[in-house]
Coordinates of all heavy atoms in Angstrom, one line a residue:
M520 N -57.5 -29.7 -17.8 CA -56.5 -28.7 -17.8 C -57.2 -27.4 -18.0 O -58.0 -27.2 -18.9 CB -55.5 -28.9 -18.8 CG -54.4 -27.8 -19.0 SD -53.0 -28.2 -20.1 CE -53.5 -27.3 -21.5
A521 N -56.9 -26.4 -17.1 CA -57.6 -25.1 -17.2 C -56.9 -24.4 -18.3 O -55.7 -24.5 -18.5 CB -57.3 -24.4 -15.9
Q522 N -57.6 -23.6 -19.1 CA -57.1 -22.8 -20.1 C -57.1 -21.3 -19.8 O -58.2 -20.9 -19.1 CB -57.8 -23.0 -21.4 CG -57.6 -24.4 -21.9 CD -58.3 -24.7 -23.2 OE1 -59.3 -24.2 -23.4 NE2 -57.7 -25.6 -24.0
T523 N -56.3 -20.5 -20.2 CA -56.3 -19.0 -20.0 C -56.7 -18.3 -21.3 O -56.1 -18.5 -22.4 CB -54.8 -18.6 -19.6 OG1 -54.4 -19.4 -18.5 CG2 -54.8 -17.1 -19.3
Y524 N -57.7 -17.6 -21.3 CA -58.3 -16.9 -22.3 C -57.9 -15.4 -22.3 O -58.0 -14.7 -21.3 CB -59.8 -17.0 -22.4 CG -60.3 -18.5 -22.5 CD1 -60.7 -19.1 -21.5 CD2 -60.4 -19.0 -23.8 CE1 -61.2 -20.5 -21.6 CE2 -60.7 -20.3 -23.9 CZ -61.3 -21.1 -22.9 OH -61.6 -22.3 -23.0
L525 N -57.4 -15.0 -23.4 CA -56.9 -13.5 -23.6 C -57.6 -12.8 -24.7 O -57.8 -13.5 -25.7 CB -55.4 -13.5 -23.8 CG -54.5 -14.2 -22.9 CD1 -53.1 -14.2 -23.4 CD2 -54.6 -13.5 -21.5
T526 N -58.0 -11.6 -24.4 CA -58.6 -10.8 -25.6 C -57.4 -10.5 -26.5 O -56.2 -10.6 -26.2 CB -59.2 -9.4 -24.9 OG1 -58.1 -8.7 -24.5 CG2 -60.3 -9.6 -24.0
T527 N -57.8 -10.0 -27.6 CA -56.7 -9.5 -28.6 C -55.7 -8.5 -28.0 O -54.5 -8.5 -28.0 CB -57.3 -9.0 -29.8 OG1 -58.3 -9.9 -30.4 CG2 -56.3 -8.7 -30.9
E528 N -56.3 -7.6 -27.1 CA -55.5 -6.5 -26.5 C -54.6 -7.1 -25.5 O -53.4 -6.7 -25.4 CB -56.5 -5.5 -25.9 CG -57.2 -4.6 -26.8 CD -58.6 -5.4 -27.4 OE1 -58.8 -6.4 -26.9 OE2 -59.1 -4.9 -28.4
E529 N -55.1 -8.1 -24.7 CA -54.3 -8.7 -23.7 C -53.1 -9.5 -24.3 O -52.0 -9.5 -24.0 CB -55.1 -9.6 -22.7 CG -56.0 -8.8 -21.9 CD -57.1 -9.7 -21.2 OE1 -57.5 -10.8 -21.8 OE2 -57.5 -9.4 -20.1
L530 N -53.5 -10.2 -25.4 CA -52.4 -11.0 -26.2 C -51.3 -10.1 -26.8 O -50.1 -10.3 -26.7 CB -53.0 -11.9 -27.2 CG -52.2 -12.7 -28.1 CD1 -51.5 -13.7 -27.2 CD2 -52.8 -13.4 -29.2
S531 N -51.8 -9.0 -27.3 CA -50.9 -7.9 -27.9 C -49.9 -7.6 -26.8 O -48.7 -7.5 -27.1 CB -51.8 -6.7 -28.4 OG -50.8 -5.8 -28.8
S532 N -50.4 -7.2 -25.7 CA -49.5 -6.7 -24.5 C -48.5 -8.0 -24.2 O -47.4 -7.7 -23.9 CB -50.4 -6.3 -23.3 OG -49.6 -6.0 -22.3
K533 N -49.0 -9.1 -24.1 CA -48.2 -10.3 -23.7 C -47.1 -10.7 -24.6 O -46.0 -11.0 -24.2 CB -49.1 -11.4 -23.4 CG -48.5 -12.5 -22.5 CD -49.6 -13.4 -22.0 CE -49.0 -14.4 -21.0 NZ -49.3 -14.2 -19.7
I534 N -47.5 -10.7 -26.0 CA -46.4 -11.1 -26.9 C -45.7 -10.0 -27.7 O -44.9 -10.2 -28.6 CB -47.1 -12.1 -27.9 CG1 -48.1 -11.4 -28.9 CG2 -47.5 -13.3 -27.2 CD1 -48.6 -12.3 -30.0
K535 N -46.2 -8.7 -27.2 CA -45.4 -7.5 -27.9 C -45.6 -7.4 -29.3 O -44.7 -7.0 -30.1 CB -44.0 -7.4 -27.4 CG -43.7 -7.7 -26.0 CD -44.4 -6.6 -25.1 CE -43.8 -6.8 -23.7 NZ -44.9 -7.0 -22.8
Y536 N -46.8 -7.7 -29.9 CA -47.2 -7.5 -31.2 C -48.4 -6.6 -31.3 O -49.3 -6.6 -30.3 CB -47.6 -8.8 -31.9 CG -46.5 -9.6 -32.5 CD1 -45.7 -10.4 -31.7 CD2 -46.2 -9.6 -33.9 CE1 -44.7 -11.2 -32.2 CE2 -45.2 -10.4 -34.4 CZ -44.4 -11.1 -33.5 OH -43.4 -11.9 -34.0
D537 N -48.4 -5.7 -32.3 CA -49.5 -4.7 -32.5 C -50.8 -5.5 -32.7 O -50.8 -6.6 -33.2 CB -49.3 -3.7 -33.6 CG -50.3 -2.7 -33.7 OD1 -50.0 -1.7 -33.0 OD2 -51.2 -2.8 -34.5
I538 N -51.9 -4.9 -32.1 CA -53.2 -5.6 -32.2 C -53.5 -5.7 -33.7 O -54.1 -6.8 -34.0 CB -54.3 -4.6 -31.5 CG1 -54.1 -4.7 -30.0 CG2 -55.7 -5.1 -31.9 CD1 -54.9 -3.5 -29.4
R539 N -53.3 -4.8 -34.5 CA -53.5 -4.9 -35.9 C -52.8 -6.1 -36.6 O -53.2 -6.8 -37.5 CB -53.3 -3.7 -36.7 CG -54.6 -2.9 -37.0 CD -54.4 -1.7 -37.8 NE -54.1 -0.6 -36.9 CZ -53.3 0.5 -37.3 NH1 -52.8 0.6 -38.5 NH2 -53.1 1.5 -36.4
T540 N -51.5 -6.2 -36.1 CA -50.7 -7.3 -36.7 C -51.3 -8.7 -36.4 O -51.5 -9.6 -37.1 CB -49.2 -7.3 -36.1 OG1 -48.7 -6.1 -36.5 CG2 -48.5 -8.5 -36.7
I541 N -51.8 -8.8 -35.2 CA -52.4 -10.1 -34.7 C -53.7 -10.3 -35.5 O -54.0 -11.4 -36.1 CB -52.8 -10.0 -33.3 CG1 -51.5 -10.0 -32.4 CG2 -53.7 -11.3 -32.8 CD1 -51.8 -9.7 -30.9
R542 N -54.5 -9.3 -35.7 CA -55.9 -9.4 -36.4 C -55.6 -9.6 -37.9 O -56.3 -10.4 -38.7 CB -56.8 -8.3 -36.3 CG -57.3 -8.2 -34.8 CD -58.3 -7.1 -34.7 NE -58.9 -7.0 -33.4 CZ -59.1 -5.9 -32.7 NH1 -58.9 -4.7 -33.3 NH2 -59.5 -6.0 -31.5
D543 N -54.6 -8.9 -38.5 CA -54.5 -8.9 -40.0 C -53.5 -9.9 -40.4 O -53.6 -10.6 -41.6 CB -54.0 -7.5 -40.5 CG -55.0 -6.4 -40.2 OD1 -56.3 -6.7 -39.9 OD2 -54.8 -5.2 -40.2
S544 N -52.4 -10.3 -39.7 CA -51.3 -11.1 -40.3 C -51.3 -12.5 -39.5 O -51.0 -13.5 -40.2 CB -50.0 -10.4 -40.0 OG -50.0 -9.3 -40.8
L545 N -51.6 -12.5 -38.3 CA -51.4 -13.8 -37.6 C -52.7 -14.6 -37.5 O -52.7 -15.8 -37.6 CB -50.9 -13.5 -36.1 CG -49.5 -12.9 -36.0 CD1 -49.2 -12.5 -34.6 CD2 -48.5 -13.6 -36.7
K546 N -53.8 -14.0 -37.3 CA -55.1 -14.7 -37.3 C -55.4 -15.3 -38.6 O -55.3 -14.7 -39.6 CB -56.2 -13.6 -36.9 CG -57.6 -14.4 -36.6 CD -58.6 -13.4 -36.2 CE -59.3 -12.6 -37.4 NZ -60.0 -13.3 -38.4
D547 N -55.7 -16.6 -38.5 CA -56.0 -17.4 -39.6 C -54.8 -17.8 -40.6 O -55.0 -18.4 -41.6 CB -57.2 -16.9 -40.4 CG -58.5 -16.7 -39.7 OD1 -58.7 -17.6 -38.7 OD2 -59.3 -15.8 -39.9
R548 N -53.7 -17.4 -40.2 CA -52.4 -17.8 -40.8 C -51.5 -18.5 -39.9 O -50.8 -19.5 -40.3 CB -51.7 -16.6 -41.4 CG -52.4 -15.9 -42.5 CD -51.5 -14.8 -43.2 NE -52.3 -14.2 -44.3 CZ -52.3 -12.9 -44.5 NH1 -51.4 -12.1 -43.8 NH2 -53.1 -12.3 -45.4
V549 N -51.5 -18.1 -38.7 CA -50.6 -18.7 -37.6 C -51.6 -19.2 -36.5 O -51.5 -20.3 -36.0 CB -49.6 -17.7 -37.0 CG1 -48.9 -18.4 -35.9 CG2 -48.7 -17.2 -38.1
F550 N -52.6 -18.5 -36.1 CA -53.6 -18.8 -35.0 C -54.8 -19.1 -35.8 O -55.3 -18.2 -36.5 CB -53.7 -17.7 -34.0 CG -52.4 -17.1 -33.5 CD1 -52.2 -15.8 -33.2 CD2 -51.6 -18.0 -33.1 CE1 -51.1 -15.3 -32.6 CE2 -50.3 -17.6 -32.3 CZ -50.1 -16.2 -32.2
F551 N -55.4 -20.3 -35.5 CA -56.7 -20.7 -36.2 C -57.8 -20.9 -35.3 O -57.6 -21.3 -34.0 CB -56.3 -22.1 -36.9 CG -55.2 -21.9 -38.0 CD1 -54.0 -22.5 -37.6 CD2 -55.6 -21.4 -39.1 CE1 -52.9 -22.2 -38.6 CE2 -54.5 -21.3 -40.1 CZ -53.2 -21.8 -39.8
E552 N -58.9 -20.5 -35.7 CA -60.2 -20.6 -35.0 C -60.5 -22.0 -34.6 O -60.4 -22.9 -35.3 CB -61.4 -20.1 -35.7 CG -62.6 -19.9 -34.9 CD -63.8 -19.2 -35.6 OE1 -63.6 -18.7 -36.8 OE2 -64.8 -19.0 -35.0
G553 N -60.7 -22.2 -33.2 CA -61.1 -23.5 -32.8 C -59.9 -24.3 -32.3 O -60.0 -25.2 -31.5
V554 N -58.7 -23.6 -32.6 CA -57.5 -24.2 -32.1 C -56.8 -23.3 -31.2 O -56.5 -23.5 -29.9 CB -56.5 -24.5 -33.2 CG1 -55.2 -25.2 -32.7 CG2 -57.0 -25.6 -34.1
H555 N -56.6 -22.0 -31.7 CA -55.8 -21.0 -30.9 C -56.7 -19.9 -30.5 O -56.3 -19.1 -29.5 CB -54.8 -20.3 -31.8 CG -53.8 -21.3 -32.4 ND1 -54.0 -21.9 -33.7 CD2 -52.7 -22.0 -31.8 CE1 -52.9 -22.7 -33.9 NE2 -52.1 -22.9 -32.7
Y556 N -57.9 -19.8 -31.0 CA -58.8 -18.8 -30.5 C -60.2 -19.2 -30.8 O -60.6 -20.1 -31.5 CB -58.6 -17.4 -31.1 CG -59.0 -17.4 -32.6 CD1 -60.3 -16.9 -33.0 CD2 -58.1 -17.6 -33.6 CE1 -60.6 -16.8 -34.3 CE2 -58.4 -17.5 -35.0 CZ -59.7 -17.1 -35.3 OH -60.1 -17.0 -36.6
I557 N -61.2 -18.7 -29.9 CA -62.6 -18.9 -30.1 C -63.4 -17.6 -30.3 O -62.8 -16.5 -30.0 CB -63.1 -19.8 -29.0 CG1 -63.0 -18.9 -27.6 CG2 -62.5 -21.1 -28.8 CD1 -63.6 -19.6 -26.4
R558 N -64.6 -17.7 -30.7 CA -65.5 -16.5 -30.8 C -66.7 -16.9 -29.9 O -67.6 -17.7 -30.3 CB -66.1 -16.4 -32.2 CG -65.0 -15.9 -33.2 CD -65.6 -15.8 -34.5 NE -64.6 -15.7 -35.6 CZ -64.2 -14.4 -36.0 NH1 -64.8 -13.4 -35.6 NH2 -63.3 -14.4 -36.9
P559 N -66.6 -16.5 -28.6 CA -67.7 -16.9 -27.6 C -69.0 -16.4 -28.2 O -69.2 -15.3 -28.7 CB -67.3 -16.1 -26.4 CG -66.0 -15.6 -26.5 CD -65.7 -15.6 -27.9
F560 N -70.0 -17.3 -28.0 CA -71.4 -17.1 -28.3 C -71.7 -16.6 -29.7 O -72.5 -16.0 -30.1 CB -72.0 -16.0 -27.4 CG -71.6 -16.2 -25.9 CD1 -70.7 -15.4 -25.2 CD2 -72.2 -17.3 -25.2 CE1 -70.4 -15.7 -23.9 CE2 -71.8 -17.6 -24.0 CZ -71.0 -16.8 -23.2
G561 N -70.7 -17.0 -30.7 CA -70.8 -16.7 -32.0 C -70.6 -15.2 -32.4 O -70.9 -14.8 -33.4
G562 N -70.0 -14.5 -31.5 CA -69.9 -13.1 -31.6 C -68.6 -12.6 -32.4 O -68.0 -13.5 -32.9
R563 N -68.4 -11.4 -32.5 CA -67.2 -10.8 -33.1 C -65.9 -10.9 -32.2 O -64.9 -10.9 -32.8 CB -67.5 -9.4 -33.5 CG -68.4 -9.2 -34.6 CD -68.7 -7.9 -35.0 NE -67.5 -7.2 -35.3 CZ -67.3 -6.0 -35.6 NH1 -68.4 -5.2 -35.6 NH2 -66.2 -5.4 -35.9
K564 N -66.1 -10.9 -30.9 CA -65.0 -10.8 -30.0 C -64.2 -12.1 -30.1 O -64.7 -13.1 -30.2 CB -65.4 -10.6 -28.6 CG -64.4 -10.4 -27.7 CD -65.0 -10.1 -26.2 CE -63.9 -9.5 -25.4 NZ -63.9 -8.1 -25.4
L565 N -62.9 -11.9 -30.1 CA -62.0 -13.1 -30.2 C -61.4 -13.4 -28.7 O -61.0 -12.4 -28.1 CB -60.9 -13.0 -31.1 CG -61.3 -12.6 -32.5 CD1 -59.9 -12.4 -33.4 CD2 -61.9 -13.7 -33.2
L566 N -61.3 -14.6 -28.4 CA -60.6 -14.9 -27.2 C -59.5 -15.9 -27.5 O -59.8 -17.1 -28.0 CB -61.5 -15.5 -26.0 CG -62.5 -14.6 -25.4 CD1 -63.3 -15.3 -24.4 CD2 -61.7 -13.4 -24.7
F567 N -58.3 -15.7 -27.3 CA -57.1 -16.4 -27.6 C -56.8 -17.3 -26.5 O -56.9 -17.0 -25.2 CB -55.9 -15.6 -27.9 CG -56.1 -14.9 -29.3 CD1 -56.6 -13.6 -29.4 CD2 -55.6 -15.6 -30.4 CE1 -56.8 -13.1 -30.6 CE2 -55.7 -14.9 -31.7 CZ -56.3 -13.6 -31.7
I568 N -56.5 -18.5 -26.7 CA -56.2 -19.6 -25.7 C -54.6 -19.5 -25.6 O -53.9 -20.0 -26.4 CB -56.7 -21.0 -26.1 CG1 -58.2 -21.0 -26.4 CG2 -56.4 -22.0 -25.1 CD1 -58.6 -22.2 -27.2
W569 N -54.2 -18.9 -24.4 CA -52.8 -18.6 -24.2 C -51.9 -19.9 -24.3 O -50.9 -19.9 -25.0 CB -52.6 -18.0 -22.8 CG -51.2 -17.8 -22.5 CD1 -50.5 -18.5 -21.5 CD2 -50.2 -17.2 -23.3 NE1 -49.2 -18.2 -21.6 CE2 -49.0 -17.3 -22.7 CE3 -50.2 -16.4 -24.4 CZ2 -47.7 -16.8 -23.1 CZ3 -49.1 -15.8 -24.9 CH2 -47.8 -16.0 -24.3
E570 N -52.3 -21.0 -23.8 CA -51.5 -22.2 -23.7 C -51.2 -22.7 -25.3 O -50.1 -23.1 -25.6 CB -52.1 -23.3 -23.0 CG -52.1 -23.1 -21.6 CD -53.2 -22.0 -21.0 OE1 -54.2 -21.7 -21.8 OE2 -53.1 -21.6 -19.9
K571 N -52.2 -22.5 -26.1 CA -52.1 -22.9 -27.6 C -51.2 -21.9 -28.3 O -50.3 -22.3 -29.1 CB -53.4 -23.0 -28.2 CG -54.4 -24.1 -27.6 CD -53.8 -25.4 -27.9 CE -54.9 -26.4 -27.3 NZ -54.6 -27.8 -27.7
V572 N -51.4 -20.6 -28.0 CA -50.6 -19.6 -28.7 C -49.2 -19.7 -28.3 O -48.2 -19.6 -29.0 CB -51.1 -18.2 -28.2 CG1 -50.2 -17.1 -28.7 CG2 -52.5 -17.9 -28.9
E573 N -49.0 -20.0 -26.9 CA -47.6 -20.1 -26.4 C -46.8 -21.2 -27.1 O -45.7 -21.2 -27.4 CB -47.6 -20.3 -24.9 CG -46.2 -20.3 -24.3 CD -46.3 -20.4 -22.8 OE1 -47.2 -21.2 -22.2 OE2 -45.6 -19.7 -22.1
A574 N -47.5 -22.3 -27.3 CA -46.9 -23.6 -27.9 C -46.6 -23.2 -29.3 O -45.4 -23.6 -29.7 CB -47.9 -24.6 -28.0
V575 N -47.2 -22.3 -29.9 CA -46.9 -21.9 -31.3 C -45.6 -21.0 -31.3 O -44.6 -21.2 -32.0 CB -48.0 -21.1 -32.1 CG1 -47.4 -20.4 -33.4 CG2 -49.2 -22.0 -32.4
L576 N -45.6 -20.1 -30.3 CA -44.4 -19.2 -30.1 C -43.1 -20.0 -29.8 O -42.1 -19.6 -30.2 CB -44.7 -18.2 -29.0 CG -45.8 -17.3 -29.3 CD1 -46.0 -16.4 -28.1 CD2 -45.5 -16.3 -30.5
L577 N -43.3 -21.0 -29.1 CA -42.1 -21.8 -28.5 C -41.7 -22.9 -29.6 O -40.7 -23.5 -29.3 CB -42.3 -22.4 -27.3 CG -42.5 -21.4 -26.0 CD1 -42.8 -22.0 -24.8 CD2 -41.3 -20.6 -26.0
K578 N -42.5 -23.2 -30.6 CA -42.2 -24.2 -31.5 C -40.8 -24.0 -32.2 O -40.6 -22.9 -32.6 CB -43.3 -24.4 -32.6 CG -43.2 -25.6 -33.5 CD -44.3 -25.6 -34.4 CE -44.3 -26.9 -35.3 NZ -45.4 -27.0 -36.2
G579 N -40.1 -25.0 -32.2 CA -38.8 -24.9 -32.8 C -37.7 -24.3 -31.8 O -36.6 -24.2 -32.1
T580 N -38.1 -24.0 -30.6 CA -37.2 -23.4 -29.7 C -36.7 -24.5 -28.7 O -37.6 -25.3 -28.2 CB -37.9 -22.3 -28.8 OG1 -38.4 -21.3 -29.7 CG2 -37.0 -21.6 -27.9
S581 N -35.5 -24.5 -28.5 CA -34.9 -25.6 -27.6 C -34.3 -24.9 -26.4 O -34.1 -23.7 -26.4 CB -33.8 -26.5 -28.3 OG -32.8 -25.7 -28.6
I582 N -33.9 -25.7 -25.4 CA -33.3 -25.1 -24.2 C -32.0 -24.5 -24.6 O -31.6 -23.3 -24.1 CB -33.0 -26.2 -23.1 CG1 -34.3 -26.8 -22.6 CG2 -32.1 -25.7 -21.9 CD1 -35.1 -25.8 -21.7
S583 N -31.2 -25.1 -25.5 CA -29.9 -24.5 -25.9 C -30.1 -23.1 -26.6 O -29.4 -22.2 -26.4 CB -29.1 -25.4 -26.8 OG -29.9 -25.7 -27.9
T584 N -31.2 -23.1 -27.4 CA -31.5 -21.7 -28.2 C -31.8 -20.7 -27.1 O -31.3 -19.6 -27.2 CB -32.7 -22.0 -29.1 OG1 -32.4 -23.1 -30.0 CG2 -33.0 -20.7 -29.8
L585 N -32.6 -21.1 -26.1 CA -33.1 -20.1 -25.1 C -31.8 -19.6 -24.3 O -31.6 -18.4 -24.0 CB -34.1 -20.6 -24.1 CG -35.4 -20.9 -24.8 CD1 -36.4 -21.6 -23.8 CD2 -36.0 -19.6 -25.2
R586 N -30.8 -20.6 -24.0 CA -29.7 -20.3 -23.2 C -28.8 -19.3 -24.1 O -28.2 -18.5 -23.4 CB -29.0 -21.5 -22.8 CG -28.2 -21.5 -21.6 CD -27.6 -22.8 -21.1 NE -28.6 -23.8 -20.8 CZ -28.7 -25.1 -21.2 NH1 -27.6 -25.6 -22.0 NH2 -29.6 -25.9 -20.9
D587 N -28.7 -19.6 -25.3 CA -27.8 -18.8 -26.2 C -28.2 -17.4 -26.2 O -27.3 -16.5 -26.6 CB -27.7 -19.3 -27.6 CG -27.0 -20.7 -27.7 OD1 -26.3 -21.1 -26.6 OD2 -27.1 -21.5 -28.6
H588 N -29.4 -17.1 -26.1 CA -29.9 -15.7 -26.3 C -30.1 -15.1 -24.9 O -30.6 -13.9 -24.8 CB -31.2 -15.8 -27.1 CG -31.0 -16.2 -28.5 ND1 -31.1 -17.3 -28.9 CD2 -30.7 -15.2 -29.5 CE1 -30.8 -17.3 -30.2 NE2 -30.6 -16.1 -30.6
A589 N -29.8 -15.7 -23.8 CA -30.0 -15.1 -22.4 C -29.0 -14.1 -22.2 O -27.9 -14.1 -22.8 CB -30.1 -16.3 -21.4

């Protein structure tokens, strides 16, 4: 399965959370290294795995919940 990698800035735009919120509040509390994001080549840059992040966002969401808010 192909994975979609997003920078922190791209993820921020996609999920409508501030970059600082992602780095300070979500990283290592909701999104975990090796599961939801990686550090390519051992560097400082983070790449988030969209499919894993999306699964966390949708956790606990059902079709009926989505329909009720449409």
Side-chain angles (χ1 to χ4, degrees):
M520 176 172 102
Q522 295 180 327
T523 307
Y524 297 100
L525 303 173
T526 65
T527 307
E528 293 79 12
E529 291 169 329
L530 180 63
S531 171
S532 174
K533 196 165 186 106
I534 67 172
K535 310 301 188 238
Y536 274 78
D537 188 80
I538 292 169
R539 263 189 266 153
T540 301
I541 293 170
R542 287 188 182 138
D543 298 342
S544 299
L545 299 177
K546 185 178 82 60
D547 299 327
R548 291 187 185 141
V549 176
F550 305 138
F551 299 100
E552 187 169 3
V554 177
H555 304 101
Y556 72 90
I557 60 170
R558 293 176 191 267
F560 314 110
R563 291 180 51 185
K564 185 177 199 86
L565 303 177
L566 289 179
F567 289 87
I568 304 166
W569 171 245
E570 291 76 12
K571 301 288 185 173
V572 169
E573 185 177 42
V575 170
L576 295 174
L577 295 175
K578 188 175 183 178
T580 304
S581 67
I582 295 292
S583 60
T584 303
L585 292 174
R586 206 174 300 138
D587 293 342
H588 290 92

